[in-house]
Amino acid sequence: MAQTELKRELANRHVQLIAIGGTIGTGLFLGSGKAIQQAGPSIMITYLIVGIAVFFVMRALGELLLSKAGYQSFTDIAEDYLGPRAAFITGWTYWFCWIMTAMADVIAVGIYVNYWFDIPQWVPAIVCLIILLGLNLLTVKNFGELEFWFALIKVITILALIGIGIVLLIMGLKTDAGSVTIRNLWEHGGFFPNGASGFLFSFQMVVFAYVGVELVGVSAAETSNPEKNIPSAINKIPLRILFFYVGALFVLLCINPWTELSPAESPFVKTFSLIGIPIAAGIINFVVLTSAASACNSGMFSTSRILYSLSKKNQASPHFAKLNKNHVPGNSLFISTLVISVGTLLSKVIPGQAFGIVTTISAICFIWVWGVVLVCHIKYKKTRPDLQAKSKFKAPFTPAINYAVLTLFAVILIIMLFAEETRPALLFTPLWFILLFILYSIRSNKSNNNHDINTINPKG
């Protein structure tokens, strides 16, 4: 007999590490170099602002997910509060932006492996996809285990950096870049060396750095004890943001004057090299490789679950709702992996621009998804006071904070319009939403016509 329901196999340690893995990724390890060059030491404020906004999005999502036992993802929430059209657009948009992100990461896997082996980039990329697909097809527990160990590697690396950095700061060690001192935060052009424009233009990469934090919500349907695990993971997000982002950047910028960091290389590699670890480049290359594989793994998981959810809602092919004997949506995993593999082709067609374009589009689409969560929470408070009164995980400062975060997201999109690097992707992205509107209208008209035919000829 065909399986029809996802299996709840994610334990608390899986959920906790998925939450950590979702807030530490390529945006920090790779993108922070470029963001630092734009904003200087003030990049810490950018990470703090966006991190606080994302936390309130997650609090809203957590309350909504726990308000109704049948919710499996935020597409279900969007359908309840904004209608089937919004659910269709949000679900496919979430699938699309994770596809774009996973494409970038699978390209990166090939680049990182080239550090050790002189082979074509597409070979390790395809091998990585096949291995991750095989593991994800077995059980959802395998996804949880993969993310557990991937996240653990990231955490250990940042802990090592912060620990060593604090020791060097206390010692006042001198490196090739100068003295390790807190004065590096303001002695090289000030805390805002590139003025307001540099500070504002750094928001795009920082938004991308937080992509994936909502995986706690996507995994809700496969969490063994969502009432306990989801609030626990969400409530720890602020401390993780302060420690893993702001804390890591604080140490980096105390060891290195921001002027010494290049946007073309990871600031983590530079820092470990400066503090005298001879195999630093190899260590960080391995960490960044696992980070890219982790992001790709998350992309395969989330896109397959979104397709499953869309299919269950009759907004995608019914084939995507079929589960294998391990309660995993195998068809959805296969098609998502196939589309992600297109990333290997993009690396040949537009190698210089591919990563920047797809990450910008991904950030824009995630702003849409996060915005939908906030709007749904506003409607939830207005239309379902009965559920809100019974909630054991109420989002704080609502609805005022919802409107404040929505305003911040709107401002970030406007900033992207003025930045030359992000403007093309911002102008392209509306075409995706127009396409979804058209597809939904065609699908609705076809469904209505079939309903009319069945009404006239119920036996036919």
Side-chain angles (χ1 to χ4, degrees), residues 73-363:
S73 72
F74 38 71
T75 53
D76 299 329
I77 297 168
E79 181 165 8
D80 267 5
Y81 292 101
L82 301 178
R85 185 191 298 270
F88 179 86
I89 293 171
T90 301
W92 279 106
T93 297
Y94 190 68
W95 179 84
F96 176 66
C97 56
W98 260 115
I99 285 289
M100 300 295 280
T101 304
M103 280 185 185
D105 286 303
V106 80
I107 292 169
V109 166
I111 295 171
Y112 300 144
V113 171
N114 269 160
Y115 176 83
W116 294 295
F117 306 103
D118 186 19
I119 56 177
Q121 292 181 12
W122 64 268
V123 175
I126 292 296
V127 170
C128 176
L129 281 178
I130 292 172
I131 292 173
L132 292 178
L133 173 63
L135 291 172
N136 274 276
L137 280 171
L138 296 176
T139 64
V140 67
K141 193 173 182 179
N142 283 334
F143 166 77
E145 287 296 329
L146 281 173
E147 284 305 293
F148 179 86
W149 292 107
F150 280 148
L152 204 56
I153 292 171
K154 302 176 193 178
V155 170
I156 291 171
T157 301
I158 295 179
L159 286 175
L161 171 72
I162 293 175
I164 294 171
I166 290 173
V167 172
L168 297 181
L169 192 58
I170 294 171
M171 293 171 58
L173 187 76
K174 293 198 176 197
T175 69
D176 293 339
S179 297
V180 178
T181 171
I182 194 172
R183 292 193 299 274
N184 283 332
L185 297 180
W186 60 80
E187 283 191 343
H188 302 273
F191 197 71
F192 293 85
N194 294 323
S197 61
F199 173 70
L200 294 173
F201 288 153
S202 68
F203 272 85
Q204 178 270 327
M205 186 54 70
V206 174
V207 169
F208 177 71
Y210 285 106
V211 162
V213 68
E214 76 298 320
L215 271 178
V216 174
V218 177
S219 61
E222 294 164 275
T223 301
S224 58
N225 189 357
E227 290 79 11
K228 177 184 177 182
N229 295 338
I230 290 177
S232 175
I234 291 174
N235 282 334
K236 290 185 175 75
I237 288 175
L239 287 176
R240 287 165 181 159
I241 289 168
L242 283 171
F243 192 79
F244 291 114
Y245 276 114
V246 181
L249 289 170
F250 172 80
V251 169
L252 281 173
L253 293 169
C254 285
I255 296 174
N256 304 276
W258 73 273
T259 51
E260 296 293 319
L261 297 174
S262 168
E265 67 175 331
S266 168
F268 286 80
V269 174
K270 174 80 171 177
T271 301
F272 274 89
S273 299
L274 279 176
I275 59 184
I277 300 178
I279 57 171
I283 293 172
I284 298 304
N285 193 71
F286 174 73
V287 172
V288 177
L289 172 61
T290 60
S291 180
S294 170
C296 187
N297 187 44
S298 298
M300 292 170 66
F301 175 85
S302 58
T303 51
S304 65
R305 270 54 179 184
I306 287 293
L307 280 183
Y308 169 83
S309 179
L310 288 168
S311 181
K312 294 280 282 186
K313 298 294 181 183
N314 198 32
Q315 293 178 339
S317 168
H319 295 292
F320 296 138
K322 292 182 180 179
L323 304 182
N324 63 20
K325 62 181 181 180
N326 298 316
H327 298 262
V328 171
N331 292 341
S332 295
L333 262 172
F334 275 117
I335 193 65
S336 293
T337 305
L338 183 63
V339 179
I340 292 170
S341 68
V342 176
T344 58
L345 177 63
L346 288 179
S347 65
K348 291 185 177 181
V349 178
I350 47 173
Q353 299 81 29
F355 187 81
I357 290 173
V358 297
T359 53
T360 302
I361 293 174
S362 177

Side-chain angles (χ1 to χ4, degrees), residues 25-49:
T26 51
L28 176 62
F29 286 122
L30 295 179
S32 58
K34 178 182 176 182
I36 288 170
Q37 283 301 304
Q38 291 174 316
S42 66
I43 191 64
M44 292 186 291
I45 297 178
T46 314
Y47 273 98
L48 190 60
I49 291 172

